[in-house]
Amino acid sequence: MSFVLSLCFVALCSLCHGSQSLPARRTPHLDALLPNGNFEQTPNKSNMRKRQIIGKYSLPHWEITGHVELVSGGPQPGGFYFPVPRGIHAARLGNLASISQYVRVKRGLVYSLTFGATRTCAQDENIRISVPGQTNELPIQTLFSTNGGDTYAWAFKAMSDLVKVTFHNPGVQEDPSCGPLIDAVAIKEILPLRYTKGNLVKNGGFEIGPHVFSNFSTGILIPAKIQDLISPLPGWIVESLKPVKYIDNRHFKVPSGLAAIEIVSGRESAIAQIIRTVAGRNYILSLTVGDAHNGCHGSMMVEAFAGKAAFKLKFESNGKGAFKTGRFRFHADSNRTRITFYSGFYHTKLHDFGHLCGPVLDNVSVVLAN
């Protein structure tokens, strides 16, 4: 009997030891809407005064200050039309109004917020996004899509495990209800960059980027560096005054992989990266240029710079998702080389002249020449 008990004890110990040797499961990285990020959970009718929300905590999962309205998409009183392309409801931030929410994150990691924002009254409307220790103000004067589908990304580094995300309208208009419309908010943990053997360019296929809404997308505008010190597009710098657009393969035609960049504002949209080179060595720069199959047409050309060398890759688009690849040889003058890309021309869609578009950039690589 004692022998049997001994065997049972040994077996139990081996099972316990084996369970400890199993690799620990990593918590799946955050990549989803914020709680009630689409504002479809609405306040009680007793907390509504027409469209205005009454009460600091009346909007589920959000804290509000100032004049905040819950609006439904479509025609509005006074002849306005509010597009809400990702659902039925959106939050409108009036004069100096804010909405905020606490989000659990991981200290030290980088996160990107993706949100739909549309101006509703004034030409000079801005939206201010903040977490503790980081604040940026994004201009939303330029409409990049005429259907109200403009979407932005903004990145931050978490300084604690619980951060308060705030959207604020810093403007004051004669009509206190005037202000930007926020129709969806999502968050994504930005994963560490993966290096491709032999390629000196980080994230050259733009596979790592912000959250993309699944039900509707006109692309995600990546702000300029002066407005977003931490890029939601790891490895890349938006050097221009205007943003570039991050597009995914579920809603657009991309040359390969999951995503690409659309250069939507001609020479006012420039994207760059500083790579490590060896002074005196020769390198090959490769890039793919095409169109997103979104009605953007005409003579498209991407101009590229590698240090002091300049190249032009021409592409004639009929708006059907074609693409071509170019390869250029350059000589490195230093141990750091800046590669930069922008569109040589401005473009709009074939049947929508108010919708800015441009050439698609993908598969950027720099390898050592033989």
Side-chain angles (χ1 to χ4, degrees):
M1 183 67 180
S2 60
F3 177 72
V4 174
L5 290 174
S6 299
L7 284 177
C8 291
F9 179 77
V10 170
L12 181 61
C13 289
S14 65
L15 285 173
C16 292
H17 178 74
S19 65
Q20 290 176 352
S21 66
L22 292 175
R25 290 187 177 182
R26 185 187 187 280
T27 304
H29 72 281
L30 191 57
D31 186 6
L33 282 173
L34 290 183
N36 199 24
N38 55 7
F39 308 103
E40 298 305 322
Q41 297 178 43
T42 59
N44 295 327
K45 290 184 179 180
S46 59
N47 297 121
M48 297 291 297
R49 183 184 300 152
K50 294 184 178 179
R51 295 189 309 197
Q52 185 181 358
I53 304 171
I54 306 301
K56 189 173 184 177
Y57 302 104
S58 296
L59 181 60
H61 297 284
W62 293 93
E63 176 184 321
I64 70 172
T65 59
H67 188 109
V68 177
E69 294 184 345
L70 183 74
V71 302
S72 300
Q76 308 293 320
F80 291 101
Y81 182 93
F82 290 163
V84 182
R86 297 173 189 86
I88 299 173
H89 299 105
R92 188 189 191 197
L93 310 184
N95 287 348
L96 302 176
S98 300
I99 58 172
S100 57
Q101 181 176 143
Y102 284 96
V103 183
R104 291 201 173 275
V105 290
K106 300 170 188 173
R107 185 198 305 264
L109 298 186
V110 173
Y111 292 84
S112 174
L113 294 170
T114 300
F115 58 96
T118 308
R119 61 180 173 89
T120 61
C121 293
Q123 181 69 30
D124 60 347
E125 287 180 6
N126 294 342
I127 184 75
R128 183 179 297 163
I129 315 103
S130 64
V131 297
Q134 298 168 71
T135 301
N136 286 81
E137 193 167 310
L138 301 181
I140 56 174
Q141 294 93 331
T142 302
L143 298 178
F144 289 87
S145 58
T146 55
N147 58 3
D150 281 354
T151 307
Y152 293 84
W154 179 75
F156 66 91
K157 186 174 183 178
M159 299 303 177
S160 64
D161 293 329
L162 186 67
V163 297
K164 187 177 185 179
V165 174
T166 301
F167 292 87
H168 175 67
N169 173 19
V172 177
Q173 305 294 334
E174 183 177 350
D175 182 349
S177 67
C178 274
L181 198 70
I182 309 296
D183 77 327
V185 184
I187 190 169
K188 181 179 180 180
E189 177 187 323
I190 300 298
L191 298 177
L193 288 175
R194 297 176 181 175
Y195 291 86
T196 302
K197 187 177 181 180
N199 186 4
L200 301 178
V201 179
K202 296 175 290 186
N203 200 18
F206 307 103
E207 298 298 281
I208 301 177
H211 176 91
V212 178
F213 295 120
S214 60
N215 58 341
F216 178 88
S217 178
T218 58
I220 301 169
L221 297 165
I222 308 295
K225 182 181 178 182
I226 58 173
Q227 295 151 350
D228 197 354
L229 298 178
I230 301 175
S231 176
L233 190 63
W236 292 96
I237 308 165
V238 180
E239 291 193 313
S240 49
L241 294 176
K242 296 292 179 65
V244 299
K245 185 175 283 189
Y246 185 77
I247 60 175
D248 70 293
N249 64 358
R250 287 178 295 178
H251 302 93
F252 300 89
K253 176 71 174 180
V254 301
S256 67
L258 301 174
I261 287 295
E262 185 180 10
I263 306 174
V264 291
S265 296
R267 292 173 179 261
E268 294 180 87
S269 288
I271 187 168
Q273 185 173 140
I274 300 173
I275 61 174
R276 293 178 180 269
T277 51
V278 177
R281 302 294 298 269
N282 293 319
Y283 295 86
I284 301 295
L285 168 66
S286 301
L287 64 147
T288 300
V289 173
D291 70 81
H293 199 190
N294 59 351
C296 205
H297 69 291
S299 180
M300 296 185 180
M301 179 175 65
V302 170
E303 299 190 32
F305 291 86
K308 297 178 181 179
F311 313 101
K312 295 180 180 180
L313 181 56
K314 296 181 180 179
F315 172 71
E316 195 68 31
S317 170
N318 58 10
K320 296 184 179 180
F323 60 88
K324 67 183 291 187
T325 298
R327 291 164 54 88
F328 306 96
R329 188 183 184 94
F330 71 93
H331 182 80
D333 296 320
S334 69
N335 294 331
R336 295 288 188 276
T337 300
R338 181 183 296 269
I339 56 173
T340 306
F341 307 90
Y342 61 81
S343 172
F345 306 107
Y346 293 85
H347 298 273
T348 58
K349 287 190 175 183
L350 179 61
H351 301 295
D352 185 356
F353 296 118
H355 198 138
L356 296 173
C357 62
V360 170
L361 174 67
D362 201 1
N363 299 327
V364 180
S365 72
V366 173
V367 299
L368 190 64
N370 295 327

